[in-house]
Amino acid sequence: MNRRTFLTFSAGATAGLMITPIPWKLTDDASIWTQNWQWNPKVPKRAIYFAEMASKLDPSGSGVKVAVVNGNAVGVAGNVDHPLGKGAVSTMAAAEVGLLHSPARVRQPMLKTATGFKAISWDEAETILTGKLSEARGEVAMVSGDDTGSANEIFAALVNGLDGSFYMMPGETQSAHKALEMMGGEGRIAYDIENADYVLFLGADALESSGTSTRNARVFSETHPTGKAASAKYVYAGPVMNNTAVVCDQWIQAKPGAAATVALGLSRILMDNGAVANAKGFASFKQNVAQGYAPAHVERETGVRADVLKKIARELAAAKRPLVIAGSEFGQGAGARALMASLGLNVLLGQMGQSVKIIPGAPAVVQGAGSESERYAADVIPFLKGVAEGRDGAKVLMVYDANPAYGLPQTQAMAKAMDKAAYTVSFSSFMDETAERANLIMPNSMTAERYDDLYTPHGAGTATYSVNKPLVKSAFDTRTTADVMLSVASRLGMDLGYASFKDVLQAKATRLGASWSSLRQGKAWTSASASSAQLNLAPCAAPAVRAIGEGTLALAPVVKHNIGTSKVAMPPHSAGSIRDTELSGVQTVVQMNAKTARMSGVKAGETVKLMGPGGEMTAQVYVSEKVMTGVVAAPLGFGHTAWDGFSKGVGENAFKLLAAADDPETGLSVWSTNRVTIATA
Amino acid sequence: MVKKASSSGGALPFFVGFVAMLFVGWWVFPQALFSKAEQPIRFSHVIHVDDGGMSCEDCHYFNDDGSFSGIPNTESCAECHSDVMGEDPAEEQFVNEYVNEEKEVEWLVYQDQPDNVFFSHAAHQDKDCTTCHPNMSENDTPPTHYKNVLTGYSNGGYKIVFGRGVGVDPAYSRGTMKMWECERCHAENGQSNACYVCHR
């Protein structure tokens, strides 16, 4: 080929090229290529699948739908079919997705060494735990904060098999078990709030943090339609206009921890007006109430005016389906007294079996786990105090789904117990205050990553049961603690009867008579069955425990789930919802009314020191008439020394102020009536 | 004057170059530009629609929040295929490799839109699915998936570079949509073509 031939050939090829797609397509594609750099991450193009799940982070157990794309959770939506969610998404349920990739998550098993934590394998972690447990037989203790899960059965069976002690974290569920036990009942207390036409909340922050608050809030919303007349009256009695009181039809100012006394005062008025109950122990109840709960006395003790008390009693008596729900203002520390007194009042109102029911507890399916009541019998507060003070020994202390080093009274002593125990194991998903102190961390998978179940939280309307299955790929090298403990039991030569936690859940479904395939799809099982056993009213008028501490002001801790719970720190997504009346910069804000501030010699915006029986904290003062006179309100949820950048070092932990006292009548520690002193810092 | 004899062969090199480039442009170039892939499982829409009596919405539905479910995941399929139901080896493979292993099938999507476009199925639900998608209800064996290696765009089930649909069933020509296609349809239907409508 000579030059001319080549040029002719090229001319032909060029002419041909013009009628091929090459120049036009390449130009087009090159422009698209520059808009879609191949190395940029792409949004996964998979099915958006809404899987049903019951939130384990939300103490009210609300069911939600998790939007899943290609094994990744991308959002949370309400589930109108779930009896505890009713279509709402609570802050904590929303956090189920947001916290999956939290920087605070423990990413693999960690072993504490002289220089800090080091990552180890699961096999190593299980070998270490097995060794420690076999050496510590007789001095093993485990604390669980999971009030609704069957995992407790595995833990209790394992600990019992090692002659150890099993404890549940204190809270409303433990209070309810103790109250029912003292009154001769067994099971769980259920409130039929859906059908109540008059609801009185005594202390219980039931639309925000107490019981099945997500469901309660939905029912409140249904009974209070916008622009129309309310179909039920809601009244809140407590020291602070909290998230429950602020929407209720009436807020009655009552001192912290006054629920039982107010309930007994109402009972007294009703009985004076002729109310009777065909119940065991009624005579004794009536006599004790008549002796100690005259309206004037109740007014002195609780701050609830006698005329207001009489008016509420009249309204309760006139209502068709009244309902009284009592508890601690911050969900713990009230002991059993408030619940017993409110059950007595509900009986007098003729609502036992109507607005209030006793429903069966979860049936045990793991051999050696004992009954639910047995697992709730022991009080963890004196045990941890004993460990901190060296009185009680714990060669191995295991903590599941709880953060006792942060979320209990006398926080420093509780944290010290973690340090004093010979070997502490945390199963926390997050690097919380307890995990930070542990010798070994074996991180639990989060709700959307694991098999788990949820049986009837305290205050639900009926027995409910939900099963969760792994919906998303595990974000990190975590495992389901229940499965880990089954494996450890097997290594110890113990046969708990199940190879996997999933098998336990299947057995539970069978015992309940629920459809496994339906549960597995996220559908909740419910049962209308209720106990017809009569409760003994005699213990309902148990004497009040004296206020704890010598301060001039009553302390009202306030829980808002957007600031976190006693287990989980503030979810990052709610950081923007924190108000400057709760946190100023990184300083906790406490609230009191103008009269209290004047009496205490402090001014709005001033930094003060609060001194309680459990410890001290500094805070800024905000003057608000949403707090009753003589009370200082302190938000719980701040002051973390662990977790992530959103929570660590932000504010101070009000749990530090609290101290617990023994209640000899019930055997449970109480800390809902603490007093504090305030001074300019 | 003696005319110098040509040694170039006249028009022949031009013709050869012309034809060679046509061959390269229309045959070699598409082979190089498009990668070919088959679906991991031979999924038959025909069997599900004709034999199973299913409708499109049984698997491709709108969620409560208005989002489109897209391609069902293994769990949804396992509601029927928890065990092998028929004698089709593809079904057996699906049950063994995906349902029993709780794995998702990496389905190849013929109509993936690029990430810089927000496309709402809910906003287009008054249109027939086949306006944009092939009529999969008549599809027994999924077509080969052709992907443009430069852009990452799918060319539907059709490998011809441009003039999509030329010479083949147009039903198999619908791949990743180009902007002009969106704009034209919007214009024809009186919808806004403002940038933010699709680029959010």
Side-chain angles (χ1 to χ4, degrees):
Chain A
M1 181 187 288
N2 59 22
R3 182 170 172 272
R4 180 176 292 273
T5 308
F6 175 75
L7 288 175
T8 313
F9 175 84
S10 298
T14 305
L17 180 68
M18 291 301 111
I19 56 169
T20 68
I22 294 176
W24 325 113
K25 184 68 183 165
L26 276 183
T27 306
D28 187 23
D29 285 358
S31 71
I32 294 170
W33 177 67
T34 59
Q35 296 166 37
N36 294 294
W37 300 120
Q38 301 290 312
W39 49 87
N40 279 355
K42 294 278 188 290
V43 177
K45 299 288 176 59
R46 308 299 300 176
I48 301 174
Y49 179 64
F50 281 76
E52 295 183 41
M53 182 184 92
S55 172
K56 294 289 282 187
L57 285 184
D58 181 359
S60 74
S62 59
V64 290
K65 290 184 177 179
V66 178
V68 181
V69 178
N70 201 25
N72 298 296
V74 296
V76 181
N79 181 0
V80 289
D81 298 325
H82 195 277
L84 303 177
K86 289 181 173 280
V89 180
S90 65
T91 303
M92 278 297 147
E96 293 280 11
V97 167
L99 291 180
L100 277 169
H101 295 273
S102 163
R105 282 201 69 179
V106 183
R107 298 174 176 224
Q108 67 276 306
M110 308 283 276
L111 181 68
K112 190 172 268 177
T113 65
T115 55
F117 281 109
K118 81 165 186 183
I120 57 172
S121 71
W122 274 102
D123 185 53
E124 281 176 276
E126 285 189 15
T127 305
I128 291 168
L129 180 57
T130 307
K132 292 288 177 189
L133 288 175
S134 62
E135 286 167 17
R137 193 173 281 272
E139 287 186 86
V140 172
M142 184 159 189
V143 180
S144 170
D146 180 4
D147 281 322
T148 53
S150 299
N152 290 331
E153 291 187 34
I154 294 168
F155 307 150
L158 176 65
V159 170
N160 292 342
L162 293 167
D163 303 321
S165 323
F166 185 79
Y167 299 92
M168 293 299 298
M169 284 289 278
E172 291 175 316
T173 312
Q174 184 174 47
S175 297
H177 275 289
K178 178 59 78 173
L180 284 181
E181 183 196 319
M182 291 184 69
M183 295 174 75
E186 193 174 356
R188 298 210 166 187
I189 300 170
Y191 298 124
D192 182 19
I193 195 169
E194 282 87 351
N195 295 306
D197 64 345
Y198 191 99
V199 181
L200 173 62
F201 298 121
L202 294 177
D205 183 18
L207 303 184
E208 169 68 28
S209 64
S210 171
T212 53
S213 55
T214 308
R215 156 188 168 248
N216 297 347
R218 292 299 286 181
V219 175
F220 172 84
S221 176
E222 286 160 14
T223 55
H224 290 71
T226 308
K228 293 179 189 165
S231 59
K233 182 171 181 179
Y234 280 56
V235 179
Y236 179 79
V240 180
M241 189 182 261
N242 54 20
N243 279 358
T244 298
V246 77
V247 295
C248 279
D249 301 290
Q250 188 180 351
W251 171 40
I252 298 167
Q253 298 192 355
K255 289 178 188 172
T261 306
V262 174
L264 294 171
L266 290 167
S267 297
R268 159 81 186 255
I269 296 167
L270 289 172
M271 287 190 285
D272 284 351
N273 292 338
V276 289
N278 182 21
K280 195 175 162 191
F282 173 70
S284 162
F285 174 67
K286 185 174 181 181
Q287 188 185 1
N288 288 336
V289 171
Q291 280 171 0
Y293 295 93
H297 172 77
V298 173
E299 181 172 336
R300 272 197 309 279
E301 291 290 316
T302 67
V304 178
R305 291 206 322 265
D307 60 324
V308 173
L309 202 67
K310 287 173 185 167
K311 180 171 169 281
I312 297 295
R314 276 198 304 276
E315 289 177 354
L316 281 170
K320 283 181 187 152
R321 271 183 82 105
L323 169 63
V324 181
I325 299 176
S328 158
E329 291 82 4
F330 55 105
Q332 54 171 247
R337 199 170 157 262
L339 276 166
M340 288 196 295
S342 67
L343 284 176
L345 177 54
N346 279 307
V347 170
L348 277 183
L349 291 166
Q351 292 305 313
M352 216 58 210
Q354 304 290 318
S355 289
V356 182
K357 294 174 185 137
I358 308 302
I359 55 177
V365 294
V366 179
Q367 199 76 30
S371 71
E372 234 181 3
S373 300
E374 284 166 350
R375 290 197 291 279
Y376 277 98
D379 186 351
V380 76
I381 300 286
F383 167 70
L384 289 178
K385 276 190 200 170
V387 173
E389 291 162 9
R391 282 183 281 114
D392 286 327
K395 281 189 177 166
V396 176
L397 173 60
M398 298 179 285
V399 181
Y400 175 77
D401 197 27
N403 188 8
Y406 172 86
L408 284 179
Q410 286 157 278
T411 318
Q412 281 160 346
M414 299 301 132
K416 196 174 167 192
M418 299 298 126
D419 298 329
K420 291 276 273 186
Y423 203 82
T424 310
V425 183
S426 166
F427 297 102
S428 177
S429 303
F430 305 97
M431 188 59 88
D432 57 26
E433 285 76 2
T434 303
E436 216 173 46
R437 286 172 169 79
N439 299 91
L440 177 65
I441 311 174
M442 300 171 80
N444 191 16
S445 299
M446 281 190 65
T447 313
E449 300 170 326
R450 67 178 195 246
Y451 272 105
D452 209 338
D453 64 345
L454 195 144
Y455 181 84
T456 320
H458 169 70
T462 55
T464 66
Y465 186 60
S466 296
V467 166
N468 294 330
K469 61 179 184 297
L471 302 176
V472 299
K473 294 177 274 196
S474 283
F476 303 110
D477 185 17
T478 58
R479 287 190 185 176
T480 307
T481 303
D483 279 322
V484 170
M485 294 298 260
L486 281 172
S487 169
V488 168
S490 167
R491 286 174 183 237
L492 285 164
M494 295 166 66
D495 180 12
L496 299 185
Y498 297 93
S500 74
F501 189 35
K502 186 181 166 188
D503 297 338
V504 174
L505 305 183
Q506 267 183 299
K508 179 139 295 188
T510 306
R511 281 290 299 275
L512 289 168
S515 155
W516 173 249
S517 65
S518 174
L519 285 169
R520 216 176 160 276
Q521 285 171 32
K523 310 285 177 217
W525 168 89
T526 58
S527 165
S529 68
S531 163
S532 56
Q534 271 211 348
L535 295 179
N536 179 9
L537 298 191
C540 292
V545 176
R546 281 195 63 229
I548 305 153
E550 303 301 326
T552 51
L553 300 179
L555 178 69
V558 177
V559 176
K560 288 185 174 179
H561 280 172
N562 59 327
I563 312 179
T565 66
S566 57
K567 297 179 194 174
V568 182
M570 176 182 66
H573 74 253
S574 55
S577 68
I578 308 300
R579 300 174 184 186
D580 56 7
T581 55
E582 294 154 353
L583 187 75
S584 174
V586 291
Q587 197 168 47
T588 301
V589 175
V590 293
Q591 298 192 14
M592 63 187 77
N593 69 16
K595 190 175 176 187
T596 310
R598 215 168 35 248
M599 280 163 34
S600 308
V602 298
K603 291 182 184 136
E606 207 165 30
T607 298
V608 295
K609 184 188 273 188
L610 292 174
M611 289 155 285
E616 298 177 356
M617 71 179 271
T618 55
Q620 200 178 99
V621 172
Y622 180 81
V623 174
S624 165
E625 298 311 311
K626 291 180 177 176
V627 183
M628 78 180 287
T629 303
V631 174
V632 56
L636 293 174
F638 295 124
H640 279 279
T641 55
W643 287 87
D644 53 23
F646 295 93
S647 298
K648 191 174 180 177
V650 176
E652 284 205 50
N653 181 7
F655 275 110
K656 284 195 296 188
L657 299 170
L658 301 166
D662 297 331
D663 179 0
E665 289 286 327
T666 64
L668 287 183
S669 302
V670 293
W671 58 95
S672 59
T673 52
N674 271 246
R675 299 193 71 81
V676 294
T677 304
I678 192 165
T680 308
Chain B
M1 187 177 169
V2 178
K3 196 176 176 183
K4 192 176 174 185
S6 170
S7 60
S8 63
L12 185 63
F14 182 91
F15 182 73
V16 170
F18 185 81
V19 172
M21 190 47 79
L22 287 182
F23 174 74
V24 169
W26 287 101
W27 200 86
V28 177
F29 177 62
Q31 304 296 323
L33 188 63
F34 287 89
S35 63
K36 287 195 284 187
E38 301 300 331
Q39 295 287 3
I41 296 287
R42 190 188 66 76
F43 179 86
S44 169
H45 279 87
V46 171
I47 290 175
H48 287 81
V49 174
D50 291 351
D51 300 352
M54 295 173 74
S55 68
C56 306
E57 291 75 22
D58 286 339
C59 297
H60 311 291
Y61 51 85
F62 286 99
N63 292 304
D64 293 342
D65 67 344
S67 62
F68 187 59
S69 67
I71 299 176
N73 61 6
T74 301
E75 181 158 348
S76 305
C77 302
E79 286 173 17
C80 296
H81 295 279
S82 54
D83 290 310
V84 180
M85 301 166 77
E87 291 174 359
D88 193 321
E91 192 213 356
E92 191 179 347
Q93 184 196 357
F94 172 68
V95 172
N96 291 337
E97 294 179 14
Y98 295 93
V99 176
N100 294 344
E101 299 293 320
E102 296 188 2
K103 255 174 59 183
E104 292 302 319
V105 183
E106 293 297 324
W107 296 112
L108 301 165
V109 181
Y110 300 104
Q111 284 85 23
D112 260 356
Q113 294 301 317
D115 280 355
N116 58 8
V117 175
F118 173 80
F119 180 84
S120 163
H121 275 91
H124 296 85
Q125 61 181 308
D126 60 328
K127 294 280 171 201
D128 192 83
C129 304
T130 54
T131 308
C132 306
H133 293 277
N135 186 357
M136 296 305 279
S137 65
E138 295 170 3
N139 179 267
D140 192 36
T141 300
T144 301
H145 184 271
Y146 291 96
K147 189 175 92 171
N148 186 313
V149 294
L150 202 56
T151 61
Y153 283 15
S154 157
N155 208 42
Y158 182 50
K159 65 182 176 181
I160 294 297
V161 176
F162 67 12
R164 288 183 295 153
V166 175
V168 296
D169 180 354
Y172 289 95
S173 70
R174 299 165 201 282
T176 304
M177 253 185 207
K178 305 295 282 294
M179 194 162 85
W180 65 265
E181 292 174 274
C182 305
E183 286 179 323
R184 189 175 68 181
C185 192
H186 273 215
E188 285 171 358
N189 288 280
Q191 298 300 313
S192 170
N193 265 321
C195 308
Y196 60 80
V197 173
C198 303
H199 302 293
R200 297 184 177 186

